[in-house]
Amino acid sequence: MTQASTTPRSVRRRHDREIVSLALPAFGALVAEPLFLMVDSAVIGHLGTPQLAGLAIAAALLSTAVSVFVFLAYATTAAVARRVGADDLPAAIRQGMDGIWLATFLGLAVVAVTLPTAPWLVDLFGASGTAAPHAVTYLRISSFGIPAMLIVLAATGVLRGLQDTRTPLYVAIAGFTANAALNVGLVYGAGLGIAGSAWGTVIAQFGMAVAYLVVVVRGARRHGASLRPDAAGIRASAQAGVPLLVRTLSLRAVMMIATAVAARLGDAEVAAHQIILALWSLMAFALDAIAIAGQAIIGRYLGADDAEGARQVCRRMVQWGVVSGVVLGVVLVLARPLFVPLFTGDPTVQDTLLPALLVVALSQPVAGVVFVLDGVLMGAGDGPYLAWAMLVTLVVFAPVALLVPVLGGGLTAVWWAMALMMTVRMLTLSFRMRSGRWIVTGATR
């Protein structure tokens, strides 16, 4: 008898309802986030090529700066969910406030570094003489919105920990709508050019941060939780985030190595690689939504001292990950004649793209398991193991990827190396899941 079959059908259905109720709104919020950049690109694109090139450089720098601090959402979700499971809402919200204060201080520090170094950072990316001034303008203005962006990350973690993924969806939709209106009004109506787009995005981001803070502050007052910064709590939030920071940096290193290797293969290869990355990221949103549900649900079960419930829901989410990966892989293969011409009409790029795309499709079930187990271990607060597992993966991946230009195989070989990376991650995370060492119950780990 399999592990899945030992779980009563009624329990599996309850887990399914929990997963869907959290994952669907989370997916909507995740998809809404990149739409900010799409709106900025569409509006600025009509100003001219130098402005659009400047936006591309500034946006790459900003997204890197913010993605490094994604642990603010992940660590906060796990910590808050544990206290929700322990039926201690005041402590849960207090923990969330510590994460928000940490986000505020980190955001101010990033602004202090970015403002004076913006020209140097833009030059580091090799911006042309015509694009550089626009990139510096956009980067400096947009940096004022970084504290708001980090507050949004932390506050999103608070609400996810409270088992609420609907509010982040509503806030994301409102933020996207406001950003679009402000961009058009300030760029064209007020004639501010690329600066208007940057200011519009900053205003929208602060609006989102205020909306989140209103929700969190109301909850704090309702449950008598303190809003003041607590040095010990902020320090604990930072310590919990360090391993996840290592994990994120290691994952970013993998992506940078893959792109650098593709760039060495030729223009057609790197162009095809960028298209695959865009598709891979889109599919990652669907799988990450299940992982977010896992963070919230697992944290709650462990906080409630329900180790068996955590095991059962973990197994069910792994099944969800596998099925979702299979579906995404099949859709990717069947729909490729429809979407490939939308990205490029160059026959050389298309010929380079197709075999690598098949590798990506085949690896999606593995990716489904990886995303789910990543979320499960984050929800369990097992950050140190995630950090070591990702470092091991980087050590395995880097030499294999760097040998591709020497041994041959082109872009397809690069994505076979990426498939190897995901397989190593699956093996290391599955080993941890089966060991049971991630299961530590109680309000704190």
Side-chain angles (χ1 to χ4, degrees):
M1 184 177 290
T2 65
Q3 285 183 316
S5 64
T6 61
T7 305
R9 182 175 297 178
S10 61
V11 174
R12 294 201 301 272
R13 287 177 177 172
R14 175 165 56 82
H15 291 327
D16 289 344
R17 287 194 296 270
E18 282 186 306
I19 294 167
V20 171
S21 67
L22 290 172
L24 281 181
F27 175 69
L30 289 169
V31 171
E33 291 174 9
L35 293 179
F36 271 75
L37 180 58
M38 289 180 63
V39 168
D40 288 4
S41 299
V43 172
I44 292 175
H46 291 285
L47 295 176
T49 300
Q51 289 88 338
L52 187 58
L55 170 66
I57 294 167
L61 288 164
L62 287 166
S63 63
T64 298
V66 174
S67 65
V68 164
F69 297 109
V70 73
F71 69 82
L72 290 166
Y74 295 158
T76 304
T77 297
V80 171
R82 276 185 174 269
R83 286 160 175 79
V84 169
D87 199 24
D88 190 351
L89 284 178
I93 296 174
R94 174 66 262 175
Q95 180 73 44
M97 285 304 305
D98 291 334
I100 291 172
W101 278 113
L102 176 62
T104 303
F105 296 141
L106 288 174
L108 293 174
V110 174
V111 174
V113 171
T114 303
L115 285 175
T117 61
W120 177 79
L121 291 170
V122 168
D123 185 61
L124 190 66
F125 265 61
S128 67
T130 54
H134 300 295
V136 172
T137 297
Y138 191 92
L139 180 59
R140 277 182 165 158
I141 295 173
S142 294
S143 67
F144 288 109
I146 289 177
M149 295 167 75
L150 299 191
I151 289 171
V152 166
L153 281 177
T156 300
V158 175
L159 295 181
R160 288 173 181 170
L162 294 171
Q163 317 297 295
D164 177 9
T165 56
R166 292 183 180 274
T167 299
L169 172 62
Y170 301 148
V171 173
I173 292 173
F176 165 73
T177 304
N179 181 57
L182 286 165
N183 263 261
V184 173
L186 293 175
V187 172
Y188 299 115
L192 296 180
I194 194 169
S197 176
W199 281 119
T201 301
V202 168
I203 294 169
Q205 288 163 347
F206 269 99
M208 293 172 66
V210 169
Y212 275 116
L213 289 175
V214 167
V215 174
V216 175
V217 169
R218 282 179 178 172
R221 288 177 175 170
R222 188 182 310 120
H223 297 286
S226 173
L227 298 174
R228 295 179 180 178
D230 175 68
I234 294 172
R235 186 164 54 251
S237 294
Q239 290 172 347
V242 168
L244 296 180
L245 175 62
V246 172
R247 167 201 166 274
T248 300
L249 290 174
S250 301
L251 186 56
R252 295 289 296 185
V254 165
M255 305 306 292
M256 289 176 65
I257 290 171
T259 300
V261 171
R264 291 183 62 186
L265 298 176
D267 290 346
E269 284 78 4
V270 74
H273 179 72
Q274 286 302 112
I275 293 171
I276 295 175
L277 274 181
L279 294 166
W280 196 71
S281 298
L282 181 62
M283 292 185 293
F285 287 138
L287 299 176
D288 204 25
I290 303 174
I292 288 169
Q295 293 172 33
I297 296 171
I298 291 294
R300 193 186 78 235
Y301 273 97
L302 294 178
D305 294 323
D306 188 354
E308 182 55 32
R311 288 191 185 92
Q312 289 177 353
V313 77
C314 174
R315 289 195 293 267
R316 192 58 176 167
M317 280 188 289
V318 168
Q319 293 167 6
W320 271 79
V322 172
V323 172
S324 299
V326 170
V327 171
L328 289 172
V330 170
V331 170
L332 188 66
V333 172
L334 295 180
R336 72 186 189 281
L338 300 176
F339 63 74
V340 169
L342 297 177
F343 285 100
T344 178
D346 187 333
T348 304
V349 175
Q350 290 184 357
D351 291 342
T352 304
L353 173 72
L354 291 177
L357 205 60
L358 292 176
V359 176
V360 175
L362 288 171
S363 66
Q364 284 309 293
V366 174
V369 176
V370 169
F371 274 82
V372 166
L373 292 182
D374 217 32
V376 166
L377 296 184
M378 284 182 190
D382 204 9
Y385 183 84
L386 287 171
W388 282 111
M390 196 62 228
L391 284 171
V392 168
T393 302
L394 176 60
V395 169
V396 173
F397 168 79
V400 174
L402 293 173
L403 282 173
V404 168
V406 178
L407 300 179
L411 186 66
T412 303
V414 174
W415 279 94
W416 274 120
M418 290 289 285
L420 171 65
M421 179 271 294
M422 295 301 289
T423 301
V424 173
R425 290 187 71 191
M426 182 184 71
L427 293 174
T428 55
L429 298 179
S430 297
F431 173 79
R432 186 65 166 182
M433 187 268 286
R434 292 181 181 278
S435 74
R437 294 179 183 176
W438 57 278
I439 300 177
V440 179
T441 58
T444 58
R445 184 176 173 87

